[in-house]
Amino acid sequence: MLKNNEKLMLTVSNIAIEAGNIIMGNYNEVLSLKIKKDKSPLTKADLQSNQYIIKELKSLNEEIPILSEETLVEWNERKKWNTYWLVDPLDGTKEFIKKNGEFTVNIALIKNKKPIYGLIYMPTTKEIYFTKNNSSYYSKFNNKGQLIKKTKIKIKQRNKNILVLSRSHISDKKKISEMKNFMFKKFNANKIIQSGSSIKLCYIAHGKANIYPRIGTTMEWDIAAGDAILRNAGGKIKTLDGRVMKYGKRNFKNKSFIARS
């Protein structure tokens, strides 16, 4: 296993940053799109980032298996895993295609069905969230790759909550208005932020928002890294029946959940 948490953080951070560079190398190109079986889009950036991350994580420790959105493993093999990497090489492909900058590289380490380590890197802004020694941190880099900010983060409680909702799943203005009215009453809120990808979970961990309700299906690789970051910042993700999110499900699918501070 990987015993040196400081070394782990640094090495995986470098892997994620380089994967982000690979993604950005495709950002302004004409996109070659495919549609997967689940009807989600797939680009060259997804595949190149995935290939790089898997290669580097294997070099880091060959004994730890890897599960990625773009490199799935059969259940008969996976069900034996106790510890494994869980990767989304480009979370927010729809946002990447729209070129709004709201996409991330997600890397989590799962042990006993829990995310014990998480890292989320935002290539367009060079911001990174990660866990270390049971705490969560935020860092930002300049264009030369130099660290210009590093802070320990934690959740924030408010008298009136700030909600964060998915950008790509809500587009109709009338539905947004109806959703706002319902959500404000339901969660004692007075503000809604919309964002793509796992950035939503980072916002809660960083104290920029308080609640992220997600009704509908997500996949384990969508939220694992953000779940680790949120847990270590003092927050939690629970299913609608109040259960803590677990990983290693046969079909990878998460139930509807509420992430909160």
Side-chain angles (χ1 to χ4, degrees):
M1 271 300 294
L2 299 165
K3 297 181 180 179
N4 190 328
N5 212 327
E6 183 75 29
K7 183 178 180 181
L8 169 67
M9 181 276 294
L10 181 60
T11 304
V12 180
S13 293
N14 288 335
I15 293 172
I17 290 168
E18 183 55 35
N21 291 337
I22 291 170
I23 292 169
M24 293 306 293
N26 290 277
Y27 198 40
N28 294 316
E29 290 187 7
V30 176
L31 295 170
S32 175
L33 290 178
K34 293 183 180 179
I35 302 299
K36 296 189 288 188
K37 289 183 179 180
D38 63 0
K39 297 184 180 180
S40 62
L42 178 69
T43 70
K44 186 169 68 174
D46 292 88
L47 297 176
Q48 289 182 351
S49 174
N50 183 66
Q51 183 180 28
Y52 175 78
I53 292 171
I54 288 179
K55 176 175 69 73
E56 293 300 316
L57 289 180
K58 283 183 178 178
S59 298
L60 183 61
N61 189 315
E62 291 186 357
E63 296 180 1
I64 301 179
I66 304 167
L67 174 65
S68 165
E69 179 181 9
E70 311 307 343
T71 308
L72 301 181
V73 179
E74 292 295 331
W75 171 245
N76 285 339
E77 180 179 349
R78 255 192 318 116
K79 66 182 180 181
K80 304 172 187 176
W81 294 356
N82 177 62
T83 303
Y84 60 97
W85 294 107
L86 183 54
V87 176
D88 193 337
L90 202 176
D91 181 33
T93 303
K94 290 180 181 177
E95 316 306 332
F96 175 77
I97 293 168
K98 293 175 184 176
K99 292 182 168 42
N100 66 14
E102 294 176 352
F103 51 88
T104 61
V105 176
N106 299 355
I107 301 176
L109 186 63
I110 308 298
K111 184 176 182 180
N112 296 327
K113 302 185 183 299
K114 297 179 181 180
I116 63 169
Y117 172 84
L119 180 146
I120 292 175
Y121 178 60
M122 305 173 189
T124 55
T125 59
K126 301 186 184 300
E127 295 171 281
I128 192 166
Y129 288 87
F130 60 91
T131 63
K132 186 181 74 168
N133 298 331
N134 300 316
S135 296
S136 292
Y137 294 84
Y138 163 80
S139 293
K140 185 175 176 62
F141 302 88
N142 62 21
N143 290 330
K144 296 180 180 180
Q146 299 168 323
L147 183 66
I148 56 175
K149 188 174 185 179
K150 179 183 176 183
T151 56
K152 186 175 180 178
I153 60 171
K154 60 181 180 180
I155 59 170
K156 183 178 180 179
Q157 303 294 344
R158 293 179 171 83
N159 292 328
K160 284 285 187 177
N161 290 315
I162 297 176
L163 298 179
V164 58
L165 301 176
S166 299
R167 185 181 300 283
S168 290
H169 298 119
I170 305 174
S171 57
D172 184 275
K173 290 184 178 180
K174 183 179 179 181
K175 287 184 178 180
I176 290 174
S177 179
E178 292 173 352
M179 177 73 76
K180 280 184 178 181
N181 292 333
F182 171 77
M183 291 292 185
F184 284 167
K185 291 181 180 179
K186 176 72 175 176
F187 295 108
N188 186 34
N190 62 357
K191 183 178 180 180
I192 288 180
I193 301 171
Q194 284 186 270
S195 180
S197 72
S198 54
I199 296 172
K200 296 181 288 294
L201 295 171
C202 294
Y203 282 168
I204 300 176
H206 206 161
K208 297 179 178 180
N210 299 90
I211 298 177
Y212 165 35
R214 182 65 170 91
I215 308 303
T217 301
T218 57
M219 309 304 280
E220 293 185 349
W221 47 76
D222 292 325
I223 69 166
D227 190 355
I229 292 164
L230 182 55
R231 291 187 195 205
N232 282 276
K236 55 187 176 290
I237 296 178
K238 288 188 176 181
T239 59
L240 298 186
D241 57 2
R243 298 185 180 186
V244 175
M245 189 67 68
K246 291 186 177 181
Y247 297 82
K249 297 181 285 294
R250 184 169 187 159
N251 63 1
F252 314 110
K253 293 180 179 180
N254 302 317
K255 293 182 178 180
S256 298
F257 63 82
I258 299 176
R260 63 172 74 226
S261 58

